[in-house]
């Protein structure tokens, strides 16, 4: 993997839904199959061969920061990767911390517009066995400003669906499920996408994608069918445990 690619774990959110579901620890530290979510995501970036990894954390909660500076820094060091913690005094949204990474790989101060590399960004509250190397390779092959990993997620509607021909009922399906194409909260930002974020700006990934589209930049999708789950509450953690157990090879450390 080219050395100018960096990894970024977004772990700066408040995690309100997780707290309300009864968790005593911040969401990035919730354990799934014996590892905190933050550690699972770090391992995914290390498996992708990234030599520099950053994690953004809320400045107000020292528990996530301390875990990142101890356990995560140790794991990164074992793999020969450079590791840095970005503290967010104010929330930067789901992608704003990418501006803090800018410049570091070009040997210039963080936040400099001179960045030349790509950033592979993941969310600490998601788990997936997606091949991040493949996403980065596709991003570069397409020459994209931003690449979004996408997959088809089944959604069950809570009502019965009626199919009509005129006024004649031809089918009645109770609570059918439909696939909806969604972003998997994995993205690759090229320099154009990084430069579109102002230093210190709070911005979400949807807003960044739309900003780039309005500017005529190339935003591409990487469609996949890898196991994926959004772990936003303790009930989702139970499902995540089952997912990691079922697809153990894809989540191997």
């Amino acid at each position: 993997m080219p050395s100018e690619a960096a990894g970024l774990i977004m772990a700066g959110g408040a995690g309100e839904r997780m707290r309300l579901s009864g968790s005593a620890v911040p969401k990035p530290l919730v354990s799934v199959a014996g590892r905190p979510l933050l550690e699972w995501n770090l391992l995914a970036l290390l498996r992708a061969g990234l030599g520099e990894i950053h994690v953004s954390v809320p400045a107000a909660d020292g528990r996530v920061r301390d875990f990142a500076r101890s356990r995560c820094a140790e794991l990164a060091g074992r793999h020969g990767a450079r590791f840095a913690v970005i503290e967010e005094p104010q929330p930067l949204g789901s992608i704003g911390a990418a501006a803090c990474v800018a410049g570091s790989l070009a040997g210039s101060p963080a936040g400099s517009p001179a960045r030349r590399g790509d950033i592979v960004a993941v969310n600490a509250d998601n788990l997936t066995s997606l091949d991040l190397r493949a996403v980065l390779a596709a991003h570069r092959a397409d020459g994209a400003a931003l690449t979004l990993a996408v997959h088809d997620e089944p959604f069950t509607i809570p009502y019965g669906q009626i199919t009509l021909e005129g006024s004649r009922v031809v089918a009645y399906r109770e609570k059918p499920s439909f696939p909806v194409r969604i972003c998997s909260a994995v993205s690759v930002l090229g320099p154009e996408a990084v430069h579109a974020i102002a230093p210190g700006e709070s911005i979400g990934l949807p807003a960044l994608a739309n900003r780039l589209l309005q500017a005529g930049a190339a935003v591409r999708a990487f469609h996949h069918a890898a196991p994926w789950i959004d772990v936003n509450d303790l009930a989702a953690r139970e499902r995540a445990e089952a997912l990691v157990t079922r697809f153990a090879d894809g989540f191997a450390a």
Side-chain angles (χ1 to χ4, degrees):
M1 190 67 63
S3 61
E4 65 269 19
L8 173 61
I9 306 172
M10 307 298 299
E16 189 68 9
R17 280 180 288 176
M18 182 65 74
R19 185 185 66 80
L20 291 175
S21 72
S23 176
V25 300
K27 184 161 55 173
L29 302 185
V30 168
S31 180
V32 172
R35 295 183 188 274
L37 287 165
L38 179 54
E39 184 172 326
W40 279 115
N41 279 278
L42 174 62
L43 290 171
L45 291 169
L46 291 171
R47 282 198 305 271
L50 297 172
E52 175 167 331
I53 296 174
H54 301 248
V55 57
S56 67
V57 304
D61 195 327
R63 291 173 292 178
V64 181
R65 178 197 61 220
D66 292 347
F67 181 82
R69 287 181 174 170
S70 55
R71 174 63 175 169
C72 292
E74 176 193 357
L75 283 173
R78 286 185 200 172
H79 287 76
R82 292 179 291 168
F83 183 81
V85 174
I86 299 167
E87 292 193 51
E88 300 184 11
Q90 300 296 328
L92 295 177
S94 62
I95 203 62
C100 301
V101 179
S104 62
L105 296 176
S108 52
S112 164
R115 235 197 74 80
R116 65 168 182 261
D118 298 307
I119 298 175
V120 181
V122 298
N123 282 9
D125 57 357
N126 292 161
L127 285 180
T128 181
S129 62
L130 174 61
D131 183 352
L132 300 180
R133 283 179 180 266
V135 184
L136 178 56
H139 168 81
R140 289 176 166 171
D142 288 342
L146 174 67
T147 296
L148 304 173
V150 303
H151 70 276
D152 295 330
E153 185 74 8
F155 281 88
T156 300
I157 65 171
Y159 310 108
Q161 180 197 27
I162 299 293
T163 303
L164 300 175
E165 290 182 359
S167 62
R168 186 169 66 93
V169 175
V170 296
Y172 187 169
R173 299 174 60 198
E174 179 65 11
K175 299 179 180 177
S177 181
F178 298 97
V180 178
R181 189 153 295 172
I182 68 168
C183 181
S184 311
V186 172
S187 59
V188 181
L189 289 74
E192 185 177 2
V194 176
H195 296 161
I197 305 171
E201 179 182 11
S202 176
I203 185 171
L205 187 56
L208 175 62
N210 286 316
R211 179 179 294 177
L212 291 168
L213 289 170
Q214 290 168 7
V219 178
R220 298 288 186 261
F222 181 91
H223 191 260
H224 70 94
W228 176 92
I229 189 168
D230 184 18
V231 190
N232 266 315
D233 53 33
L234 291 180
R237 183 190 65 174
E238 300 303 316
R239 296 193 297 272
E241 295 260 4
L243 187 78
V244 171
T245 300
R246 181 182 177 190
F247 298 99
D249 289 346
F251 289 96

